[in-house]
C-alpha cells in the first residue's frame, strides 16, 4: 500500500507577521514529499512513525468529540490501517521549516476525512477557511498552536496568498524564468529548529511596546510590500523591500537566527550580493535567500549548500 504524495511547503513571506495579520505567501516545494505507507518488513524509522500515528489517532478522536461539526473521520479504517503498521514515509526534514507535519496532516485528511473538501471543487474563500480551521486543529498535536497553513498548502499544492487571518485565497505566481539570473534559494543551517520555543520568544517580545511598534511599522510593512511585489512580478521593487526586511529581521529577531549566520546575514545586506530571511520560525533548519544574481551569491556563499527554489 502506498498513498498519494504530499509535498513540503515554503512560506516565502509572513513568518511571525501572519500571527499579527500581515500578508503572507506560501508555495509548494516539490523537492521533499511524503506518503502514507505499509511495508512487509518495516524499518525502525517506520515503526517510530507508526507509534506516533497511534497517539495521533487518539488526538483526532478527541477533536471529533469536542468539535463534531468541524470534521469527522473514518476511524474504523484509520485504526485498522495503523494497527496494520501504517506509517508516514517522508523525505521532508523535520525542524527545517518546510512543513513536515503539514504533509502528514494533509495525507490523513485526504484518506480518512468524511465529507471532505476536495481540490477539484470550486474553492471559495469559505471552503479555504474551513479547511484552514480543520488543519489548524489537526496540526496542533505536533507543535502547539497551528495556523493550518502548512497542511493547506500541502493538501492543495498551489500557492496560497494570505491577506489576513480570515482572508486567504489561492493565487498564481509569475512563471519561473529558467534563463533568469535571479533566484530564491534555501541555505542549510546544519541544525534543526524547534518551532514552539521560537514562538515563545516572539510572544515574550510582543509584551514590549517598542517591539510591537517595530512589527507594525517596519516588519509588517516590508513583508506586505514583498508579497505584493512577488505576486505581481515587480523584481526591482522586491529587492529593495527585501533588503529592508532582511535588516529589520537582523536587528530585531536575533534569537531566531543561528549565531554563526549573523555575520553572513549582515554581509549580504552590505554587499547586496544576496539577502537572507527566516524560513518558518527560525532557530535552525533552513534560511531563505534571495539573489538578483545567483552566481554572485554562490561566490559570496562559497562552502554553503544552496538549493534553488525559484528562478526570476
Amino acid at each position: 500500500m502506498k498513498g498519494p504524495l504530499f509535498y513540503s511547503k515554503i512560506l516565502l513571506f509572513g513568518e511571525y507577521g501572519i500571527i499579527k495579520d500581515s500578508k503572507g505567501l506560501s508555495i509548494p516545494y516539490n523537492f521533499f514529499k511524503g506518503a502514507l505507507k505499509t511495508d512487509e518488513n518495516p524499518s525502525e524509522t517506520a515503526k517510530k512513525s507508526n507509534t506516533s500515528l497511534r497517539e495521533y489517532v487518539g488526538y483526532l478522536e478527541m477533536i471529533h468529540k469536542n468539535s463534531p461539526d468541524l470534521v469527522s473521520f473514518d476511524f474504523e479504517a484509520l485504526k485498522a490501517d495503523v494497527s496494520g503498521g501504517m506509517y508516514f514515509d517522508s523525505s521532508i526534514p523535520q525542524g527545517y521549516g518546510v512543513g513536515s507535519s503539514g504533509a502528514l496532516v494533509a495525507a490523513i485528511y485526504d484518506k480518512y476525512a468524511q465529507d471532505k473538501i476536495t481540490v477539484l471543487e470550486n474553492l471559495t474563500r469559505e471552503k479555504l477557511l474551513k479547511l484552514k480551521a480543520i488543519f489548524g486543529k489537526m496540526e496542533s498535536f505536533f507543535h502547539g498552536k497551528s495556523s493550518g497553513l502548512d497542511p493547506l498548502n500541502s493538501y492543495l499544492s498551489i500557492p496560497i496568498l494570505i491577506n489576513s487571518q480570515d482572508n486567504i485565497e489561492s493565487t498564481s505566481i509569475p512563471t519561473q524564468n529558467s534563463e533568469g539570473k535571479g533566484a530564491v534559494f534555501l541555505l542549510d543551517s546544519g541544525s534543526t529548529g524547534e518551532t514552539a520555543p521560537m514562538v515563545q520568544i516572539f510572544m515574550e517580545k510582543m509584551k514590549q511596546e517598542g517591539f510591537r511598534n517595530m512589527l507594525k511599522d517596519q516588519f509588517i510593512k516590508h513583508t506586505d510590500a514583498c508579497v505584493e511585489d512577488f505576486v505581481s512580478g515587480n523584481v526591482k521593487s522586491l529587492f529593495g523591500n527585501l533588503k529592508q526586511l532582511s535588516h529589520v529581521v537582523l536587528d530585531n529577531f536575533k534569537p531566531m537566527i543561528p549565531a554563526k549566520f549573523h555575520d553572513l546575514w549582515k554581509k549580504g545586506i552590505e554587499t547586496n550580493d544576496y539577502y537572507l530571511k527566516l524560513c518558518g520560525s527560525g532557530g535552525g533548519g533552513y534560511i531563505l535567500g534571495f539573489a538578483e544574481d545567483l552566481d554572485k551569491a554562490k561566490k559570496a556563499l562559497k562552502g554553503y549548500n544552496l538549493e534553488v527554489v525559484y528562478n526570476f
Side-chain angles (χ1 to χ4, degrees), residues 9-84:
K9 65 85 212 169
I10 291 174
L11 184 63
L12 278 184
F13 301 105
E15 70 294 336
Y16 293 110
I18 51 177
I19 299 176
K20 292 290 159 211
D21 261 358
S22 79
K23 284 185 187 289
L25 180 65
S26 183
I27 62 168
Y29 181 44
N30 301 355
F31 187 73
F32 298 120
K33 45 198 161 301
L36 293 166
K37 215 172 154 185
T38 39
D39 286 342
E40 290 290 303
N41 300 305
S43 66
E44 281 312 307
T45 316
K47 286 178 189 164
K48 217 167 122 186
S49 168
N50 175 261
T51 306
S52 142
L53 277 180
R54 279 169 200 268
E55 286 171 32
Y56 190 45
V57 173
Y59 174 77
L60 292 179
E61 284 183 307
M62 194 182 75
I63 290 182
H64 178 61
K65 206 171 119 203
N66 295 342
S67 325
D69 297 339
L70 183 68
V71 63
S72 60
F73 299 94
D74 181 348
F75 282 112
E76 213 174 301
L78 176 55
K79 284 177 171 171
D81 287 344
V82 171
S83 297

Side-chain angles (χ1 to χ4, degrees), residues 93-157:
Q94 292 184 349
Y96 262 66
V98 284
S100 51
S101 56
L104 167 60
V105 166
I108 295 280
Y109 178 83
D110 179 64
K111 187 158 189 198
Y112 300 101
Q114 292 171 324
D115 304 320
K116 67 178 183 184
I117 296 168
T118 70
V119 186
L120 301 170
E121 57 199 83
N122 178 19
L123 288 168
T124 60
R125 184 177 296 170
E126 283 66 38
K127 284 180 186 168
L128 282 172
L129 284 173
K130 175 149 194 202
L131 270 176
K132 183 173 175 283
I134 291 169
F135 289 149
K137 275 271 193 299
M138 286 177 72
E139 197 185 30
S140 294
F141 173 77
F142 298 98
H143 49 64
K145 199 170 171 336
S146 157
S147 69
L149 268 172
D150 288 5
L152 184 65
N153 206 291
S154 191
Y155 182 61
L156 299 175
S157 221

